[in-house]
């Protein structure tokens, strides 16, 4: 049974930090690209960050320099370190596994989205102003 369980969300003030974790099981973690996407009320789903099996990372422009995605293949876990959080980062954050080998296009999220195979139920991040 495939499981992706996100944790680490919460309420933080603007400028604060959070570290999201996504513990997985039931599939060969090391064979999949991993990513995080978010959904805020009345806003489209947005790809936040992704990491390939060889460690190449991708970020949406609004989080570059503030968020860091990483993976620990020994623990079948992917992380999202979020620093200097802003109110506009408030959203439901989900992790996902995808047959994603990277993208030569700036629109990496489109490639990742259509390669998604599994995703979790998410964790809520709220940033107060």
């Amino acid at each position: 049974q495939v499981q992706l369980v996100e944790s680490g969300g919460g309420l933080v003030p603007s400028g604060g930090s959070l570290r999201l974790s996504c513990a997985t099981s039931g599939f060969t973690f090391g064979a999949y690209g991993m990513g995080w996407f978010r959904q805020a009320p009345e806003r489209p789903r947005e790809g936040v960050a992704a990491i390939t099996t060889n460690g190449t990372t991708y970020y949406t422009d609004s989080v570059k320099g503030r968020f860091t995605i990483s993976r620990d293949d020994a623990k079948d876990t992917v992380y999202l370190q979020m620093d200097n959080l802003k109110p506009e980062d408030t959203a439901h954050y989900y992790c996902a596994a995808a047959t994603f080998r990277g993208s030569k296009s700036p629109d990496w999220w489109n490639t990742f989205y259509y390669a998604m195979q599994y995703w979790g139920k998410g964790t809520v991040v709220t940033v107060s102003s």
Side-chain angles (χ1 to χ4, degrees):
Q1 181 182 1
V2 172
Q3 288 190 313
L4 292 85
V5 181
E6 301 93 337
S7 61
L11 172 64
V12 293
S14 182
S17 296
L18 284 174
R19 188 193 194 205
L20 305 185
S21 299
C22 175
T24 75
S25 61
F27 65 99
T28 306
F29 180 83
Y32 285 81
M34 298 298 298
W36 292 88
F37 64 92
R38 63 189 179 188
Q39 180 84 60
E42 300 182 358
R43 293 182 64 182
R45 183 178 300 172
E46 179 183 31
V48 176
I51 185 167
T52 65
T53 56
N54 67 4
T56 302
T57 57
Y58 299 81
Y59 298 94
T60 191
D61 286 346
S62 64
V63 308
K64 285 180 180 177
R66 299 189 298 121
F67 291 11
T68 303
I69 188 171
S70 61
R71 62 188 295 158
D72 186 338
D73 287 4
K75 296 182 178 179
D76 293 349
T77 300
V78 62
Y79 305 96
L80 186 67
Q81 177 67 41
M82 306 188 295
D83 297 319
N84 190 21
L85 282 159
K86 303 177 180 181
E88 52 263 42
D89 294 318
T90 295
H92 206 135
Y93 284 72
Y94 302 84
C95 73
T99 54
F100 176 70
R101 298 289 180 261
S103 176
K104 296 182 179 180
S105 164
D107 191 12
W108 62 267
W109 167 239
N110 188 65
T111 304
F112 186 94
Y113 178 79
Y114 285 102
M116 279 173 49
Q117 300 293 306
Y118 315 112
W119 51 92
K121 295 182 178 180
T123 186
V124 178
V125 172
T126 305
V127 185
S128 62
S129 57

